Structure formats: structure tokens, C-alpha cells
Amino acid sequence: MSRIHTLPDLLISQIAAGEVIERPASVVRELVDNALDAGASQITVRLIEGGVRSIVVEDDGCGIAKDDLPLAFKRHATSKIHNLHELEHVQTMGFRGEALAATNAIAECSILTRTAEGAHAHLLHGQSGEIAPAARPVGTTIEVKELFFSVPARRKFLKSTATELAHCVEAVRRHALVRHDVQFAIWHDGKCIEQWRTQAEQPEQRIAHILGDAFAQNCIHIDHQQGPLSLRGSIGVPDIARNRADMQFLYVNQRHIKDKSLAHAIKSAYGDVLHGHKQPIYALFIDIAPELVDVNVHPCKSEVRFREAREVYAILRNCITNALAAPRSTADAAPELIAAETHTNATPSSTTHLLNTPTYYPRTPQSATQGVAEAQALWASAKQSAPHGVQQRMHELDHAVGAGEWETALGQRPTTTHTGGSNGDTSSPETKQDAIWPLGKALAQLHGIYILAQNAQGLVVVDMHAAHERIVYEQLKNGISTNQLHGQSQQLLVPVSFSATPLEIATAASHSDTLEQLGLQVSQLSASSLSIRSVPQSLAQADAVALTRSLLAELEQHGASDVLEKAQNAILATMACHAAVRAHDALTLPEMNALLRQMERTERSDQCNHGRPTWKQLSHKELDGLFLRGQ
Ligand code: ADP
Ligand code: MG
């Protein structure tokens, strides 16, 4: 080993570039960050050969004063913060003063810039440091040519032009999604390939523009405020979930981030309505007081650390759980109701009654978060201001149409089967009530599998087993508490011991209550082993060690409430499957109607327990289309 010495400046920047600049898209991200920090309202990104040959970012921001220009490519030189206090409250995208220096160390860079005060523009050449007078309107153009020309080893890691281009476009798209007030354009090899205009674009319009119409038409809007945190954005309904996690956008204070824990919070909120292999689509924006989040934990600023990470996790999860809970058949019910009511000359009082209640509250789920006081408290407050809900809306529906006549409880249905449709259609002929119910009035059963119903929009087709399975499952979830699960454990004749990591032993000790609630008794045997004395009855056949290990891993990562709820739900789902009406059970029309009414008031009833849809609407228009009617 040689003596300790300080590294030359250029090498330090090249080392920093190793962290900050992975590929052309990293440069694009940094340059667009800078343009946004400069207050730009129009940003144009010009790329040649996927950005490898050249990246040019033009903005109409504030520009850089001539006197500051020599510092622009200096390491740790920034106009954005002065001290630790400002770092802790930072609102800009950048603050490390590193990106331009790092880029300049591995590419040929230049800055052409002009401030509002400047008589003309200046051009700074990165390598030589020379500054020359130049022409340009107020704003900045930064050019980065021949990326990694001085570090050929890095250049080898670059992928095809198409791949690098796709990453660059994605980097701009991430900015465009959150900054709907800024106009973006991307040019590649001289052609404009992507453009997002502002022209009075609302946040939702920008989201629709970027994520597509299919998402815009099948998403749920979220707008939630809790303490110092606000959460807004849109999440896709389970039906449009994807095979890849390529349409998931999460922001904290306008910064696109990758956060495993928060991604897990969202995924687990979908857990009960989405098949495990499917990936939800979302664009979610968290805004939180800057002092409650540390953005200085990652060189690319793509990760953050929350001071109250558990709370943020719980709010995100609960908020999305609630948003997904309301059956979508009733989501548009109010306008339909109003239309129907007007149509049938209903009393004005009921109409105004509906119009005046824009906020709906979900019922109180007796979920497994019980007993976990902290999560429960958050849950309660998150719930209170939840945008969507079922209970209230259904109460209003009942009220509006004087319901109660459909209250045939399917749950109390005798096990004997009836002959479908031949007996007891006690409903009146087509009345205004029938048109009002979101899922309509049952017409018939098809092949013992589907219920056909008529509603205001057209034809509704329901998978009766799938729908009933969900209803029973939700009833079970609402009726059971973790205490009832307690005791359903089976003592092992011979305790099973296994070697455990220190983390596993610590987790087992701190979560022993939760484990016992699940019917699992785990205790420490030695400094490096645990012993299992009992396992949950329903899982007695399972590999106790594998089960315990995976539970410990989940407890350690996600805390007690998540694990309890997941474990409990798995058991209840199995029970629900057995209790639900089976395919080929013949249902009477009143029973079918009862099922439809229960679907309308059951949370998550649009999806069966395995994440498949329970019903589909065929609109008048779609039906007419099938028969080329009116064409
Ligand atoms: P940081 O963004 O962390 O401050 P950078 O290396 O990205 O560090 O940029 C250094 C400085 O150069 C910034 O602080 C800013 O003052 C200036 N700058 C960079 N890009 C622009 C731009 N497009 N418009 C105005 N100023 C810019
Ligand atoms: Mg920057």
C-alpha cells in the first residue's frame, strides 16, 4: 500500500459521476431538475442516438448570472442551499451541487445562459472554462456530448439506442406527470417524439395524457389530507392491473421516488382485490412538511427517508384500501338517481337530499388491525376523511327508493335448491326502483353460472359464485376479531426447533403477542435457535419452520397489523369459498335480486376474493353495436 494522499478534483468528480450518472437518462433527469428549479415553464429535451451522442436541455427559467457561471461546473457549488437548516427544509429538486460537476467530468459540456438582467447571453465551455458572449433569450441551454467518452469502461454498459432513449423519455415523463404546469417536449434525432402541453391542463388531464385513456376511464381519484401529509392522485381499478410494474409513479414533494416500503403499502392495499401476480397502476403524490422527510439519503435523490415512516405507510395503505372498497357500481349512482328521480317526477326533497351529501363514509371494518393501537388510531382518522364509502351511500339509496323489499338474506338461504325463476318473483313490474338500483333488476340465471340483470345503462352480467364468495368473505371479515382467532392453535407433540438469525430471534421476542394471536407459539431456545410449540390449526399441515420464518420476515418488515390481517384474511377467504353459493345452484329471482343488492353495499364486491371481476356491464351502446343498430 502506498501513502495516504488526496485525490485530484477531476477524479473525485468522476467517482461521484459513478453514483449520479448511470446512463443518459440520469443526465436528462438532473438537467430537467435544474430547469424546474430555475422556474422554467417550457422545457425542451433534444437527444441524439438515445442521448449517448448528445443531450441538450433548453429552458426558459431564470438563467445563470455571468459572475456565477465559473462556479456552475465546480463540485459542491450550488445556489439552492447555504446551511444545514436550509438543507433540512429544502424545496428544490437539487441541493448537492454535484450533478453538473459530475457530468462535466465524463462528457463534453457547455452552458449557454442568460438572465433577465443580462444584456446578452454567455457561453461557458466546460472543459476549458472559457466564457464567451453569445445570443439567447432569457433561460438556459445545457449541452452534454459524448457521454462517458473519458471512461470507456462505463460506455460498455450502455444498452441499445432504443433502450437508452426509452429511459430518457421515462425520465422526462416522470417530471411531466407531476408538473402539469410545465410544458415539455422531447426530440430525438431531429424529430419531436413526445410533447406535453400545459394549455390549462388540469392535473387529471396530464395524468390521462401520460398514462392513457384506459387508465383515465378506469381510475379512482384520491384526495386526502391527514395532519402534515396530503395524498392525492389516481389509482387504477383492479381490472386494468398489469403484468409488469411499469406504470407505478410515486412522488414525495414533487420528487419521483422509488420506495420499497411504500410500494408494499400500495400493493398490500390492493392485496384483497388483486391477484398476487398483477401489478396495479398508480400515480400518487405525497406532500409532506419538508422537515418530516429526509431527501438527502441517496446520490440520485431517488429515495427518501420519512421521520414517521410507519405512519406514512399506514396512511397510504388505509387511504388506498378505502378508495378500493367502495363498489364501483354505486360510484356513479348519484347522477343516475337524480336522473331517474327527475324522470319520474320524484319529490324534490329526495333529490336535494342526495345532491347535498357529496361525502361518503365507509363502514367500520372490524379488521385485524385491532389490538394494534397505533395503527388503529391512524386507521380511524384516515377513514373518517376517506373520499369514498359505502354505508352512507347505500343508506341514501335505501332512503330514496324506500327499499327493504329486497332484504332476502342470502346468508340465511336454505341449502335446498329452488328451481330458478319459476317461483316467487315478488318484485313489482319495472318500476322506478328497478331503474335506480346500480346493478339493476335480475332477469334470469344463465347456465347456472351468471345472473343477467337489467339496469339503466343496459345489461349487467354477474358471476354469482364469485360475487357471493366476496360478500360472505367481507361479512366474515366484519364479524370476526382477532380474539376469535385466538386459541385456534394446535400444540405440537414435539416442539420444532430451528436455527435462527439474531434478527429473527429479536423479532420473535418483540412480536410474541402477534404470533400467539395467530396461534403460533415461538420461544427462544438458545442464542441462535428458536423453538415452535404450537401452530395455527388451519395450517397444521404446513411446514412450521417455513411458516414461522416467513411470518418473522414480514413482521420485521411490515409490522404486526399487516401480518395479522393478511393471515386472518387467508383463513376467512377459505371459509367464504365454502359458504358461498356454488355454480349450478339454482337461485330464485328474489334471491338473485338480494345478491345484487348485497353487492351494491358490500365493500370490494367488484372483485372476487382472487381478484377476478364479479360483474360486467354491457351498455345500450355496446349492445346496439353488436347488432349494427343505428349505424
Ligand atoms: P444543484 O442542482 O444541486 O444545485 P447542479 O450541479 O445541478 O447542482 O447545478 C449547479 C448550479 O447551477 C445550480 O445550483 C444552479 O444555480 C445552476 N444551474 C444549473 N442548471 C441551471 C438552469 N437550467 N438554470 C439556472 N441555473 C442552473
Ligand atoms: Mg441539479
Side-chain angles (χ1 to χ4, degrees):
M1 279 223 295
S2 67
R3 308 282 305 275
I4 299 179
H5 59 282
T6 46
L7 295 173
D9 251 19
L10 179 66
L11 184 54
I12 298 177
S13 290
Q14 283 170 336
I15 291 171
E19 293 183 312
V20 183
I21 313 294
E22 185 194 344
R23 59 187 347 153
S26 332
V27 176
V28 171
R29 188 196 56 227
E30 293 292 343
L31 296 183
V32 175
D33 270 356
N34 282 344
L36 290 171
D37 284 345
S41 65
Q42 274 194 32
I43 299 173
T44 304
V45 179
R46 296 178 197 278
L47 307 162
I48 295 180
E49 281 182 30
V52 179
R53 187 108 293 148
S54 157
I55 299 167
V56 175
V57 175
E58 297 166 13
D59 68 57
D60 59 353
C62 63
I64 305 173
K66 183 185 180 235
D67 293 347
D68 286 353
L69 211 42
L71 292 175
F73 287 123
K74 283 265 175 314
R75 270 190 303 120
H76 310 307
T78 179
S79 58
K80 297 170 192 174
I81 56 167
H82 295 87
N83 50 43
L84 184 64
H85 179 79
E86 286 181 7
L87 172 63
E88 283 166 356
H89 294 81
V90 69
Q91 309 255 16
T92 48
M93 295 289 126
F95 53 84
R96 303 169 67 100
E98 222 172 34
L100 289 186
T103 311
N104 195 42
I106 51 160
E108 290 171 22
C109 300
S110 69
I111 301 179
L112 172 63
T113 185
R114 178 177 173 182
T115 59
E117 295 75 34
H120 56 80
H122 288 93
L123 177 67
L124 166 65
H125 188 260
Q127 242 89 77
S128 66
E130 275 166 28
I131 298 179
R136 191 205 192 285
V138 174
T140 304
T141 303
I142 301 191
E143 185 178 41
V144 176
K145 286 200 300 197
E146 304 297 337
L147 193 64
F148 299 133
F149 78 99
S150 58
V151 265
R154 295 297 298 276
R155 207 165 181 149
K156 287 205 193 92
F157 285 99
L158 293 175
K159 298 281 192 312
S160 70
T161 299
T163 302
E164 295 304 334
L165 175 63
H167 283 283
C168 290
V169 172
E170 182 66 12
V172 183
R173 191 211 299 261
R174 285 173 182 170
H175 285 102
L177 205 49
V178 63
R179 293 300 301 269
H180 57 95
D181 53 330
V182 176
Q183 187 165 332
F184 293 87
I186 310 175
W187 293 67
H188 187 240
D189 292 346
K191 280 201 293 277
C192 182
I193 55 166
E194 213 46 278
Q195 203 167 13
W196 296 294
R197 307 179 158 282
T198 84
Q199 260 99 52
E201 211 164 33
Q202 294 299 308
E204 287 76 25
Q205 288 172 293
R206 182 58 72 83
I207 291 175
H209 192 162
I210 293 178
L211 297 184
D213 288 342
F215 176 74
Q217 284 153 18
N218 292 287
C219 70
I220 304 167
H221 295 297
I222 295 199
D223 195 349
H224 179 78
Q225 176 82 43
Q226 191 169 337
L229 184 147
S230 99
L231 173 68
R232 45 169 208 91
S234 308
I235 60 171
V237 304
D239 285 4
I240 59 163
R242 296 168 68 82
N243 291 327
R244 298 192 321 143
D246 57 350
M247 282 172 77
Q248 304 184 337
F249 298 89
L250 181 64
Y251 296 80
V252 173
N253 294 347
Q254 303 209 325
R255 196 186 293 281
H256 179 272
I257 59 152
K258 298 230 170 276
D259 187 301
K260 279 209 179 106
S261 163
L262 294 187
H264 183 275
I266 300 169
K267 193 84 205 286
S268 83
Y270 271 90
D272 215 10
V273 289
L274 195 64
H275 191 276
H277 300 307
K278 288 280 185 180
Q279 293 290 344
I281 307 181
Y282 53 81
L284 287 169
F285 310 98
I286 294 175
D287 282 293
I288 186 166
E291 59 271 22
L292 295 180
V293 57
D294 187 355
V295 292
N296 185 29
V297 294
H298 191 271
C300 295
K301 297 160 286 184
S302 58
E303 286 170 22
V304 297
R305 194 178 295 134
F306 294 99
R307 206 190 290 169
E308 323 270 3
R310 276 197 187 280
E311 281 77 359
V312 176
Y313 181 98
I315 292 171
L316 189 62
R317 186 176 188 275
N318 295 338
C319 206
I320 294 175
T321 304
N322 284 343
L324 289 168
R328 279 175 296 284
S329 62
T330 62
D332 306 323
E336 296 306 329
L337 271 172
I338 292 154
E341 293 278 346
T342 322
H343 187 64
T344 52
N345 296 321
T347 56
S349 68
S350 65
T351 311
T352 38
H353 169 67
L354 283 160
L355 277 173
N356 288 342
T357 33
T359 315
Y360 304 96
Y361 300 96
R363 80 182 83 196
T364 312
Q366 283 269 310
S367 70
T369 47
Q370 265 192 352
V372 186
E374 172 196 13
Q376 190 90 57
L378 278 162
W379 175 223
S381 49
K383 219 170 33 190
Q384 259 161 31
S385 37
H388 293 288
V390 181
Q391 186 87 322
Q392 181 76 10
R393 173 160 284 183
M394 293 321 302
H395 176 72
E396 283 153 14
L397 273 172
D398 285 351
H399 188 90
V401 299
E405 58 198 273
W406 299 121
E407 289 299 317
T408 318
L410 262 173
Q412 290 153 26
R413 165 169 197 275
T415 43
T416 55
T417 53
H418 308 263
T419 37
S422 60
N423 66 346
D425 179 4
T426 54
S427 67
S428 39
E430 203 188 333
T431 61
K432 67 171 189 178
Q433 279 93 331
D434 302 331
I436 273 170
W437 290 111
L439 291 177
K441 179 196 167 200
L443 300 173
Q445 200 176 5
L446 183 69
H447 289 303
I449 296 173
Y450 301 108
I451 294 171
L452 305 183
Q454 159 181 326
N455 68 355
Q457 291 88 342
L459 177 70
V460 171
V461 184
V462 174
D463 179 333
M464 69 180 204
H465 169 72
H468 195 222
E469 190 181 5
R470 167 62 72 172
I471 291 166
V472 176
Y473 175 46
E474 292 295 324
Q475 284 170 348
L476 286 172
K477 281 200 294 182
N478 284 336
I480 206 161
S481 76
T482 44
N483 294 338
Q484 286 165 270
L485 276 183
H486 187 71
Q488 295 189 337
S489 70
Q490 182 175 314
Q491 294 289 325
L492 297 175
L493 288 176
V494 184
V496 179
S497 63
F498 63 101
S499 65
T501 65
L503 189 60
E504 283 173 330
I505 292 172
T507 309
S510 56
H511 289 289
S512 62
D513 284 359
T514 308
L515 290 168
E516 268 191 44
Q517 276 182 311
L518 290 170
L520 205 65
Q521 282 182 308
V522 181
S523 53
Q524 184 170 357
L525 198 65
S526 75
S528 62
S529 64
L530 288 169
S531 129
I532 307 168
R533 282 174 291 123
S534 76
V535 294
Q537 199 145 54
S538 56
L539 301 169
Q541 303 299 323
D543 177 351
V545 175
L547 173 77
T548 307
R549 280 220 169 105
S550 70
L551 274 177
L552 288 175
E554 283 208 40
L555 279 169
E556 196 268 312
Q557 266 188 34
H558 308 301
S561 60
D562 248 31
V563 173
L564 275 178
E565 190 167 327
K566 221 162 125 187
Q568 177 185 287
N569 287 354
I571 297 165
L572 297 185
T574 313
M575 289 163 66
C577 184
H578 292 293
V581 293
R582 321 235 116 223
H584 307 300
D585 280 0
L587 297 190
T588 63
L589 283 174
E591 283 173 330
M592 289 185 231
N593 279 316
L595 183 70
L596 297 176
R597 302 294 79 83
Q598 286 190 348
M599 284 173 71
E600 284 155 0
R601 66 190 63 207
T602 299
E603 292 182 326
R604 287 168 284 278
S605 61
D606 300 322
Q607 254 67 38
C608 80
N609 300 353
H610 317 287
R612 289 188 297 270
T614 54
W615 66 280
K616 286 284 170 192
Q617 175 85 54
L618 271 169
S619 67
H620 289 302
K621 208 170 147 212
E622 287 163 310
L623 289 168
D624 289 350
L626 287 177
F627 298 98
L628 311 175
R629 221 165 192 275
Q631 287 185 5

